[in-house]
Amino acid sequence: MVKKYIVDLSEDEVAQLQSIIKKGKHKARTITRANILLMAAEDETDSAIADTVRAHTATVQRIREKFVIGGLDFALKDEAHPPKPTKLDEKQEAFLIATACSNPPEGRVRWTMQLLADHLISVGIIDSISDETIRQTLKKTKLNRG
């Protein structure tokens, strides 16, 4: 099979990739991608590269393609991930904070994360929510009760 994207590295790029590998101060993904590019420049087959770096051949092909299309930095860096939508809006968050600051239910000394989550569900503020989401929300607002 003929390779569509041929990796041709300059001396500066080879030095930069070898520096990334030797220092070991980068993400494991970046080091793996650097190894892939160096081996691809030495005309290794995709399957041999994949076996050596313990990756899939599709990963090797994608890294070669990214290098040819966008250059060295584009091939080494991760794409930005879109932000996850928040579970609670401002009104729901305000209700959570007000509830956490209020007196706990009868027979309890304080609100727990699970009690707060169950209370939000029973009141009908939200359909489902985990105690971890409650904890993160209160931590973000510096009201963590735990």
Side-chain angles (χ1 to χ4, degrees):
M1 182 176 173
V2 178
K3 291 183 182 179
K4 186 174 180 182
Y5 299 100
I6 306 297
V7 175
D8 186 27
L9 298 172
S10 68
E11 290 179 19
D12 291 339
E13 290 172 333
V14 169
Q16 186 179 352
L17 290 172
Q18 288 174 340
S19 165
I20 288 171
I21 293 168
K22 287 180 183 175
K23 285 183 183 174
K25 300 236 176 196
H26 297 285
K27 294 179 182 178
R29 271 187 200 175
T30 304
I31 294 171
T32 301
R33 290 172 182 166
N35 277 318
I36 289 171
L37 289 173
L38 284 172
M39 292 176 77
E42 296 170 355
D43 291 330
E44 293 281 342
T45 64
D46 287 351
S47 59
I49 296 170
D51 289 340
T52 304
V53 298
R54 292 186 166 187
H56 197 273
T57 53
T59 302
V60 176
Q61 292 168 354
R62 253 192 331 272
I63 298 303
R64 280 192 300 103
E65 179 181 355
K66 286 178 81 170
F67 174 76
V68 171
I69 291 172
L72 189 60
D73 287 337
F74 183 66
L76 293 177
K77 302 246 189 282
D78 287 329
E79 295 176 7
H81 297 285
K84 292 182 179 176
T86 57
K87 185 77 173 177
L88 298 172
D89 63 17
E90 293 87 16
K91 288 183 179 181
Q92 294 168 330
E93 232 177 78
F95 183 83
L96 170 63
I97 293 167
T99 304
C101 293
S102 69
N103 292 329
E106 191 68 33
R108 298 290 186 148
V109 177
R110 68 178 61 92
W111 284 102
T112 63
M113 302 302 141
Q114 191 60 55
L115 277 174
L116 287 167
D118 293 341
H119 182 69
L120 289 180
I121 293 168
S122 66
V123 173
I125 297 294
I126 197 161
D127 293 333
S128 67
I129 192 165
S130 70
D131 57 331
E132 179 62 14
T133 304
I134 298 292
R135 185 194 68 78
Q136 289 175 358
T137 303
L138 292 177
K139 182 177 180 182
K140 179 182 75 174
T141 58
K142 296 182 178 21
L143 286 175
N144 193 346
R145 312 287 283 176

